[in-house]
Amino acid sequence: MRKSLTLVAASMTLAAPAMAENLAVVGSWSGLPLHIEYEAPFWGETLPAASGGDLTIELTTHNQMGLGLGDIYPLLGQGVYDVAMTVADYAVADAPELEGLDVPLIALSAEEARAMVDAARPMVADIYHDRFNSHVLAIAPYPPQVVFCNAEIAGLDDLQGLKVRASGRMTAKLLEALGAEGVNVSFSEVPGALQKGVVDCAVTGAGSGYSAGWWEVSTHLMPLPLGGWDPVVTAMNLDKWNGLSSEMQELIQTQITTEFEDPAWATAQNALVNDIACLTGNGDCPAGESRSMILVEASDADFAKAREILVGEVLPEWAERAGGDWAERWNASVGQVVGVTIN
């Protein structure tokens, strides 16, 4: 009898399907194009389908969870969830060396930004491994971080004396060096801050500003990438990653590169052109109704001045704060790609 029960139990074990691996995934801002067009379809449909049912995904976003922006990656490292993605600049309080990923005014096209990010990837991987107990899966772009103003401006010099919400710490340092006052306001609070005069201008992606209705509370748009490209890092808790089979690791990495990261980069440049058209009415707006912001084209002199301050003041200041050999690593990777050296 005992032998029969053993055989039955063994046959049931062999017949039972393998348990699906479940991932708790926290995406970036739920209302912005990166999540709507790329994150949600990838995690909700593409990856589970590619796994043949071996992966199930529970997807939410950090704003839906009410997470503090600086808590997203530390909580990932603690295993509160398995995968998280948000703007790398939100983590620089815990990892100042991470500021070297998103440098203002270095990349003026999506192609240049992708090359910069790819050069920085080994550094980013080490930072997330050591600081946040996590494994980097992908780095995708928000559109270039441009300037929205509820004030009359004709060029970069007109930012002097204005209160400007920066999109990251290095951008804030650049704005201060230009004579503006950097103000810390969260993305969701910017429309109210612009309307009430708490800030005169704010930096974010053109598409993000369009989606969030910043055109309702600002009049002038300057599409100089004063805030870089605001890369969004997707990472998995390191213990969870190490607990996956090598086959599952390869599936996830291949799929996220080809079906999420590559498509997001491929549309980044056209997205900027379309977003500016949507905000200003200069061209067709595929996203919906065109608005009527005043387009302020930065001059060559504006760009040269800002670039001089970046290279002469902002980057050396970052290198000192980051400490260690980060400036040397940056020079040998990102610096070589973009033709900039931190002295």
Side-chain angles (χ1 to χ4, degrees), residues 258-343:
T258 60
E259 303 300 323
F260 167 69
E261 188 177 32
D262 288 348
W265 278 107
T267 59
Q269 188 64 42
N270 284 340
L272 174 61
V273 174
N274 292 336
D275 294 337
I276 291 173
C278 289
L279 288 164
T280 65
N282 296 344
D284 295 329
C285 176
E289 188 176 347
S290 295
R291 306 304 170 179
S292 55
M293 293 187 69
I294 297 170
L295 182 64
V296 180
E297 294 284 7
S299 67
D300 290 343
D302 283 336
F303 177 77
K305 177 181 178 178
R307 185 70 177 261
E308 182 180 355
I309 291 172
L310 173 72
V311 175
E313 298 180 35
V314 177
L315 280 171
E317 192 270 345
W318 164 71
E320 185 175 343
R321 279 188 297 105
D325 63 350
W326 288 106
E328 184 178 337
R329 289 190 66 179
W330 192 93
N331 283 341
S333 54
V334 180
Q336 283 196 0
V337 168
V338 300
V340 173
T341 300
I342 302 173
N343 297 316

Side-chain angles (χ1 to χ4, degrees), residues 65-81:
M65 293 181 70
L67 295 176
L69 298 178
D71 296 330
I72 294 165
Y73 292 125
L75 291 175
L76 173 67
Q78 295 167 28
V80 175
Y81 29 78

Side-chain angles (χ1 to χ4, degrees), residues 102-105 107 142-146 167 171 225-231:
D102 187 27
V103 179
L105 299 171
Y142 274 149
Q145 305 296 290
V146 298
S167 59
T171 303
L226 208 61
W229 287 70
D230 238 13

Side-chain angles (χ1 to χ4, degrees), residues 94-207:
D94 292 312
E97 61 272 26
L98 190 56
E99 291 175 49
L101 171 62
D102 187 27
V103 179
L105 299 171
I106 289 292
L108 302 183
S109 69
E111 183 179 1
E112 292 172 342
R114 180 79 189 263
M116 182 175 71
V117 163
D118 287 345
R121 195 177 297 256
M123 292 192 301
V124 176
D126 288 347
I127 293 166
Y128 275 74
H129 181 281
D130 297 342
R131 295 279 194 175
F132 304 117
N133 185 43
S134 59
H135 173 77
V136 172
L137 293 169
I139 306 176
Y142 274 149
Q145 305 296 290
V146 298
V147 186
F148 291 73
C149 284
N150 194 19
E152 287 193 25
I153 61 169
L156 202 59
D157 285 344
D158 292 332
L159 296 181
Q160 187 169 351
L162 298 184
K163 301 184 293 291
V164 184
R165 180 261 185 186
S167 59
R169 183 177 294 185
M170 197 173 287
T171 303
K173 295 292 184 183
L174 176 60
L175 286 166
E176 289 168 6
L178 287 167
E181 178 187 348
V183 180
N184 185 21
V185 179
S186 71
F187 177 83
S188 59
E189 295 172 342
V190 167
L194 282 166
Q195 190 172 34
K196 296 172 184 176
V198 175
V199 296
D200 302 297
C201 304
V203 178
T204 196

